Amino acid sequence: MLRRPDFDTNQWAQENFADASLGDKRRSKRLVEVVSQIVDMPAGSMPQMSPLWKDLKATYRLLDMDQVTLQSVTGPHRKRIAQRGGTQLILSDTCHIDFGAGRQVRGAGPVGPGNSVGFLLHSALAYNAKDKSILGVAGQIAHTRKKDKKTKPSKESERGKQWSESRLWTDLFTQVGPSTDEVHYIHVCDSAADNYESFFTAIEELDSDVVIRCGRAHRKVFDSSGKKRSIREVCRNATVYGTYELFIPQGNQRKARTAKIEVAFEKIRLPQARYCSEKIKQSDCDGFDLTVIVAREVDAPTGVEPIQWILLTSLPVESFADALEVIGYYESRWAIEEWHKAIKTGCKLEDRQHRDIDRLLPLTGICSVVAVLLLQLREASRREPNRPATELVPSSWINLLMVFGKLRRRPKTSEELWRAIARLGGFLGRRYDGKPGWITIWRGWQRLHEMLRGYQYAQQLKNCG
């Protein structure tokens, strides 16, 4: 995580990528150099980052190596995250990496509507359950769909496609690994992960917990009295234990509002699915004891669809406070959406002009870890807003900000310092602009370091006389 004001890109790259198993130490060294260049210019093209042809050619050769893959590149970083220990929320989701309809990318498959090509990036982002900070990439799988035939697919083939893509969840859980005495994983997923295989893999095989949004409310389960009912019926009759207020920001053609959410929950027994893999059929596990939590909006404004979440969790829920904690875990999923945006917008992954998917996948791994750094920088700007600025950076840094940022007054607190840095990156800082985002903070951070390097070179020339 980004903690030191004297952040060094090469040192950060060394910590996260130097131990990559690429078959040759020289390749690992080159990888660190490439990562350092990307960190210095995340949105830049490869020729911009490596202006010399020999360096650019060496980068292309590295990406062409069979040993340089998505998994091998991110391996050291994922290992470091697992060693952090504690209770970690594993926020999982799928992102469509779309290169558009006009590009020819060898090995890419169809994504989304139309003729766009790309791949599915199924990722797990580790999140500290205690202080709600982003830790890093815990797992990552790339999946390329096969090109559709011109004939209309049968129901059986469509079912097979859905089944194969549902395996992404269990494969990702397995890649993250089991919980141990040092680290406990809680897998937080949306409704796409709501299948019995996911519960079995996470709970039975990996000794972890889950918080999964229900996607099949018609499924039959056993309620707390032992009666077999659908999850929808259980939710309708579940006991309400309390309410809380949730701020809904403006967006997607909706007005900002504060919603009143009531919380109900009930214990259920999820029986073994009728259709499941052989390993589940041969196991002794015939189901799981879960809690279904319902968070639904009451007194919603006229014409506004009320919010409702139905969550299935293996965590113990005995009180309203326990239910709120689980709901808070699920609300943390916004972080992975921001992370996907950082990969696409901050690192411009979809704009990379490589013509082979085998080149793009290891580059995807690099951009994914760099995107974590971008979000961590924003976190640093919002943590301890009243801390004195001089405890974070030297006075010389603040002097440079005063001069080049044309500040009217000297930043005294951490919040004022980061807003001043963001102004270097294009943040206007008007009263109604809110807090700066990671894009302007990152741009300002880069520009500040460029000015510091120039200042240091000027001092060296002065000393040379």
Side-chain angles (χ1 to χ4, degrees):
M1 183 168 178
L2 183 60
R3 297 184 186 276
R4 301 176 301 276
D6 55 339
F7 174 69
D8 180 78
T9 56
N10 187 66
Q11 182 179 348
W12 181 87
Q14 286 278 351
E15 293 173 352
N16 288 276
F17 293 92
D19 294 332
S21 299
L22 306 181
D24 192 308
K25 291 183 178 180
R26 292 172 295 181
R27 295 172 189 165
S28 300
K29 183 179 179 181
R30 171 60 63 177
L31 175 62
V32 170
E33 294 175 0
V34 172
V35 172
S36 298
Q37 293 169 349
I38 293 178
V39 172
D40 285 334
M41 194 183 296
S45 66
M46 298 304 288
Q48 286 176 322
M49 290 183 285
S50 302
L52 296 179
W53 169 237
K54 64 174 184 177
D55 293 333
L56 183 60
K57 187 164 61 173
T59 300
Y60 289 154
R61 282 201 304 265
L62 175 70
L63 296 176
D64 285 336
M65 294 292 175
D66 292 338
Q67 297 88 345
V68 182
T69 64
L70 174 64
Q71 303 303 328
S72 64
V73 164
T74 60
H77 172 79
R78 289 186 284 110
K79 185 177 179 180
R80 291 183 74 237
I81 299 307
Q83 292 173 344
R84 293 288 295 271
T87 300
Q88 296 185 13
L89 304 182
I90 304 300
L91 313 177
S92 301
D93 202 2
T94 303
C95 173
H96 287 200
I97 304 300
D98 189 346
F99 300 120
R103 290 208 21 210
Q104 297 293 325
V105 181
R106 190 183 302 109
V111 292
N115 298 317
S116 295
V117 297
F119 61 91
L120 305 184
L121 184 63
H122 195 61
S123 306
L125 188 66
Y127 201 73
N128 190 308
K130 186 176 181 180
D131 63 11
K132 299 297 188 292
S133 62
I134 297 172
L135 299 177
V137 182
Q140 209 163 38
I141 296 173
H143 173 68
T144 304
R145 289 171 173 165
K146 295 181 180 179
K147 294 183 178 180
D148 296 330
K149 297 180 181 179
K150 293 183 179 180
T151 56
K152 184 178 179 180
S154 63
K155 290 184 178 179
E156 288 75 13
S157 65
E158 281 294 305
R159 188 179 298 115
K161 176 182 176 181
Q162 294 172 1
W163 176 257
S164 64
E165 291 190 1
S166 70
R167 282 283 306 273
L168 291 173
W169 296 94
T170 56
D171 290 347
L172 187 64
F173 292 173
T174 303
Q175 186 183 109
V176 172
S179 295
T180 65
D181 293 338
E182 289 74 30
V183 60
H184 180 68
Y185 295 124
I186 302 174
H187 293 273
V188 182
C189 314
D190 64 9
S191 57
D194 182 15
N195 62 76
Y196 192 82
E197 300 280 337
S198 297
F199 289 100
F200 181 85
T201 302
I203 301 171
E204 182 70 13
E205 293 189 324
L206 301 175
D207 196 26
S208 301
D209 283 301
V210 297
V211 177
I212 297 178
R213 186 171 183 177
C214 179
R216 301 167 58 201
H218 63 280
R219 182 198 296 138
K220 297 291 185 179
V221 297
F222 294 100
D223 63 15
S224 55
S225 64
K227 185 178 179 180
K228 197 169 188 178
R229 295 189 295 167
S230 69
I231 293 179
R232 185 177 291 109
E233 290 177 300
V234 173
C235 294
R236 191 178 299 125
N237 299 312
T239 303
V240 176
Y241 286 86
T243 62
Y244 74 101
E245 292 187 342
L246 176 67
F247 176 71
I248 310 297
Q250 180 181 356
N252 296 328
Q253 298 182 347
R254 67 165 181 257
K255 296 181 179 179
R257 74 180 191 278
T258 299
K260 182 181 179 182
I261 308 294
E262 68 175 18
V263 178
F265 64 84
E266 184 172 335
K267 305 288 185 182
I268 62 171
R269 175 73 178 177
L270 178 66
Q272 187 181 108
R274 180 183 301 177
Y275 302 105
C276 54
S277 62
E278 285 299 320
K279 69 176 181 179
I280 294 180
K281 293 178 181 178
Q282 296 173 5
S283 71
D284 296 331
C285 180
D286 62 353
F288 298 101
D289 292 322
L290 305 174
T291 301
V292 56
I293 301 175
V294 189
R296 54 192 165 215
E297 183 177 5
V298 294
D299 302 328
T302 304
V304 175
E305 183 179 356
I307 295 171
Q308 177 171 286
W309 293 339
I310 301 176
L311 305 178
L312 303 175
T313 181
S314 58
L315 292 165
V317 180
E318 304 295 340
S319 64
F320 177 58
D322 292 339
L324 280 182
E325 184 176 44
V326 173
I327 293 171
Y329 289 163
Y330 186 76
E331 289 176 351
S332 299
R333 285 196 70 257
W334 68 268
I336 197 167
E337 303 292 344
E338 287 290 294
W339 179 59
H340 286 156
K341 188 189 299 183
I343 293 174
K344 291 185 173 185
T345 306
C347 298
K348 299 290 185 181
L349 178 60
E350 293 174 329
D351 294 338
R352 305 288 174 179
Q353 296 300 307
H354 302 282
R355 299 180 181 178
D356 197 307
I357 201 74
D358 290 335
R359 271 191 182 181
L360 285 160
L361 289 181
L363 191 58
T364 298
I366 296 172
C367 291
S368 298
V369 181
V370 172
V372 169
L373 177 63
L374 299 183
L375 294 187
Q376 287 176 339
L377 186 61
R378 183 183 64 178
E379 283 186 349
S381 71
R382 297 181 179 181
R383 192 178 294 114
E384 299 180 309
N386 296 321
R387 185 178 178 183
T390 51
E391 293 183 5
L392 297 175
V393 298
S395 297
S396 59
W397 290 36
I398 299 177
N399 293 337
L400 281 174
L401 278 173
M402 290 291 294
V403 174
F404 290 97
K406 299 180 180 179
L407 304 181
R408 294 181 179 179
R409 64 176 185 175
R410 191 177 183 85
K412 295 181 179 180
T413 66
S414 170
E415 183 177 22
E416 293 175 351
L417 172 69
W418 286 107
R419 286 178 71 89
I421 291 174
R423 287 187 62 180
L424 293 177
F427 178 66
L428 296 178
R430 295 167 294 189
R431 284 176 295 181
Y432 52 84
D433 280 337
K435 296 180 179 179
W438 57 264
I439 295 179
T440 53
I441 291 174
W442 182 252
R443 289 172 181 167
W445 180 263
Q446 288 180 300
R447 189 177 176 193
L448 175 61
H449 276 74
E450 289 173 359
M451 292 187 295
L452 286 168
R453 283 194 289 267
Y455 175 77
Q456 291 167 356
Y457 292 150
Q459 291 299 311
Q460 291 174 6
L461 289 174
K462 183 179 180 180
N463 294 334
C464 290

